Structure formats: structure tokens, C-alpha cells
Amino acid sequence: MTAELHSAIIKREAKRLGFDYCGISKAGFLEDEARRFEEWLHKGMHGQMKYMANYMDMRLDPRLLVEGSKSVISLMLNYYPEEKQNENAPKISKYAYGKDYHRVIKDKLYELLSIMNAEIGEIHGRAFVDSAPVLERAWAAKSGLGWIGKNAQLIRPQNGSFFFLAELIVDIELECDGPIKDYCGSCTRCMDACPTQAIVGPNVVDGSKCISYFTIELKEAIPKEMQGQFNDWMFGCDVCQDVCPWNRFSHPHNETELQPKPELLQMSEKEWTEITEEVFAKSFSDSPLQRTGYNGIKRNLNFIRS
């Protein structure tokens, strides 16, 4: 069996498992990304996300992360919801409407790896969903799934950017796809619309200024100077994606396990304000909202309402 045939099998089975798109690239050192990433860290744009500076060698070269790796299989899964939140409620990023995507996607990746072993032969590899030092957007772009826009999100032509990204790093040679061109052109809508001016240049987001950073990653009090800049975002922020012209092509996903929780969509501002820790734990035990937890949600809500 050839690398071309192996790649065709992988893409066919990825589609069958519910992934929207699959691209493949050769595992190796990310030279261009290394320079940009080191500069980003040097400028402190990771804020208190100290983990971003860990395992730099593995982050830039998957061959150090998975011994003997030769190919990176990048996958995309749509999460754009059909229904939106109660418009009067504090806002939550769309990716967090349903179940924790890590669990949902990991199961699919393990099944895909199992199928590859059955149909292609013994393969050593690892599955990643935003849970290890992998530059997922760089690999997705390298495999032609889209380009990295001015908002640093991966954008796919005629599809937009509301996708989860995942990877299988494996030890077999596969037929690789090539990158595509950048179609942002002269558009700066994301840069202009960012409530906290976190997009400091094309393709450069100062994470330490991003609303998602403050409402999810930051564990201490939100700086007072950010008061009044969150535009009612309580968990994450979608502004730079919502204003992107390419996202007019976004269409609702059909992944059952990622369907929005009805209670989340229906909750009013009053219900969020009065929610107890017990009710939060019961309603959102398997939700991305657990990333910040009950105390974090209450902190964020108090901040945007003070």
C-alpha cells in the first residue's frame, strides 16, 4: 500500500467519524513559527500562562513529542451552533455551549487511530486536542486546511473559523498536502473590533490583553483598568470571529455530543447571578465552563456588572 492510498483511507475514515476536514503534513521543525513564538514569549504576551513557555523544543518539533513520528494529521470539527444564548444574558463563547470538546474529539481520534492500525498496519502515534505542546494552528495551516488570519485564528475559505482543531502525530510516511494562500487581504475588521485592542498587529494577539485570557486563564482578580471593556463577555470572547467576513459562511454543526445545553441557552442574567455552586456543578459538570469553575464565573460576572 502506498502513502497516497494510506492518506486516502485516513481522510475517508475521518469524514465518516464526523470530522469536517483532514489535512496532512510532514513532521519536522517549525522554523518560521519558532522565531515568531519566541518573540511572542519574550514580549510577555502569554501573561500568566507560564505553561506556554514549557517544552519549547517539543512544541516546535513533534518528532521530539512522539518518537519516530513522520506525519502530522490535522483535523477540523465544526462547532458553530444553530441556536444562540438568551440575548440579555452575559455572553459565553460559542465553543463552550455544549459538552467539553476534549472528551468528544479524543474519542474520535482514538477510533481513527484504531481503524488506521486495522486497515494500514501497526502504527505508533498519539492524539492531541489542545492538551499538549502542539502548535495546532501552524500544523493545520501547513496541511492546507486554511490560513492563519489577522486574528491568529485558522480560517478556511468558504467555511470560516468556528472549528475545533486536533492532531494525530504518527510514525508512517503519508502523502502531504500543501499550504494555501492568505485570503485576509486588506481587511482589518478583527483588529478594529477587538474590545481590548489585543490584536496588536496582523496575526499577533497579545494574549495578556485578550478577554478570553482574563475570563478563563487568569486565576486572580481581573485588573481594574479593564473595567468596562469586556462588552458583556463572561466566558471567552468571539468578537474577532463574529466580525470576520469569512464567518458569514459558517453553518450549524450536526455533532450530537456538541449540541448546546438547553439550560445554558435559556439562562437569563438573573439566573446567572443567582446560580448556586450546587446547581452549577450539576448543570455544567461536563462543560468547558469547568475550566474556570463556579468561582471564576462569579468573579467574571461580578466584574462585568460592577
Side-chain angles (χ1 to χ4, degrees):
M1 294 176 73
T2 65
E4 181 180 2
L5 181 56
H6 292 164
S7 297
I9 290 171
I10 291 166
K11 290 179 179 181
R12 181 196 71 206
E13 293 303 313
K15 190 74 173 177
R16 188 182 63 78
L17 290 170
F19 288 107
D20 294 275
Y21 302 103
C22 174
I24 300 170
S25 49
K26 182 180 177 63
F29 182 69
L30 294 171
E31 187 172 350
D32 292 340
E33 289 76 7
R35 175 183 50 79
R36 289 193 289 266
F37 190 64
E38 287 173 2
E39 183 178 354
W40 186 80
L41 289 173
H42 180 72
K43 291 181 176 178
M45 292 185 182
H46 57 314
Q48 293 189 20
M49 297 181 287
K50 304 301 183 186
Y51 62 86
M52 294 296 292
N54 296 337
Y55 307 109
M56 275 286 290
D57 53 348
M58 293 182 181
R59 197 179 294 275
L60 295 168
D61 192 338
R63 295 171 300 182
L64 302 176
L65 188 62
V66 178
E67 185 177 355
S69 58
K70 296 178 181 177
S71 303
V72 179
I73 303 167
S74 294
L75 302 125
M76 298 175 72
L77 185 67
N78 181 17
Y79 68 83
Y80 191 76
E82 185 168 8
E83 297 181 82
K84 307 296 193 305
Q85 280 181 273
N86 177 340
E87 61 181 18
N88 297 315
K91 292 182 280 193
I92 293 170
S93 187
K94 298 174 190 63
Y95 84 84
Y97 278 11
K99 285 185 179 180
D100 187 336
Y101 64 94
H102 295 89
R103 305 179 188 182
V104 176
I105 297 176
K106 268 284 179 72
D107 287 345
K108 292 180 183 293
L109 291 176
Y110 290 143
E111 187 172 353
L112 179 56
L113 192 56
S114 177
I115 292 169
M116 289 166 60
N117 271 279
E119 294 206 21
I120 297 174
E122 186 175 352
I123 296 169
H124 173 63
R126 289 179 63 186
F128 300 95
V129 189
D130 189 28
S131 56
V134 177
L135 295 178
E136 57 186 13
R137 292 171 195 165
W139 286 111
K142 197 176 179 67
S143 68
L145 292 181
W147 76 93
I148 297 178
K150 289 189 173 79
N151 59 2
Q153 298 294 313
L154 185 90
I155 304 173
R156 183 173 177 85
Q158 311 302 320
N159 288 272
S161 61
F162 289 103
F163 290 89
F164 293 122
L165 300 178
E167 303 78 38
L168 282 175
I169 300 178
V170 295
D171 65 348
I172 60 168
E173 296 277 4
L174 296 169
E175 183 181 47
C176 296
D177 302 292
I180 65 172
K181 66 173 289 187
D182 183 324
Y183 289 98
C184 280
S186 60
C187 178
T188 59
R189 291 188 191 182
C190 59
M191 300 175 70
D192 300 335
C194 180
T196 57
Q197 293 78 56
I199 307 176
V200 296
N203 315 104
V204 182
V205 175
D206 185 340
S208 69
K209 294 181 179 179
C210 180
I211 292 173
S212 290
Y213 165 75
F214 288 119
T215 58
I216 302 174
E217 298 291 344
L218 187 67
K219 304 309 176 188
E220 57 189 44
I222 300 171
K224 290 184 179 180
E225 59 264 28
M226 302 308 299
Q227 204 82 54
Q229 297 185 52
F230 282 18
N231 287 9
D232 229 22
W233 287 97
M234 178 177 70
F235 184 92
C237 177
D238 286 339
V239 170
C240 68
Q241 295 192 85
D242 287 336
V243 302
C244 177
W246 287 103
N247 278 322
R248 70 185 184 275
F249 297 109
S250 297
H251 61 276
H253 69 81
N254 55 13
E255 177 56 56
T256 304
E257 292 197 86
L258 292 176
Q259 290 302 327
K261 292 177 176 291
E263 58 269 42
L264 183 148
L265 297 181
Q266 297 162 8
M267 283 179 72
S268 65
E269 178 177 352
K270 184 174 186 291
E271 288 172 314
W272 278 112
T273 301
E274 296 178 352
I275 192 170
T276 65
E277 189 165 6
E278 182 181 8
V279 170
F280 180 86
K282 183 178 180 180
S283 299
F284 303 110
S285 61
D286 58 351
S287 162
L289 297 184
Q290 286 295 337
R291 179 71 180 272
T292 189
Y294 174 78
N295 291 331
I297 289 293
K298 298 298 283 187
R299 176 203 64 177
N300 298 344
L301 184 58
N302 290 336
F303 185 80
I304 63 177
R305 287 293 179 265
S306 60

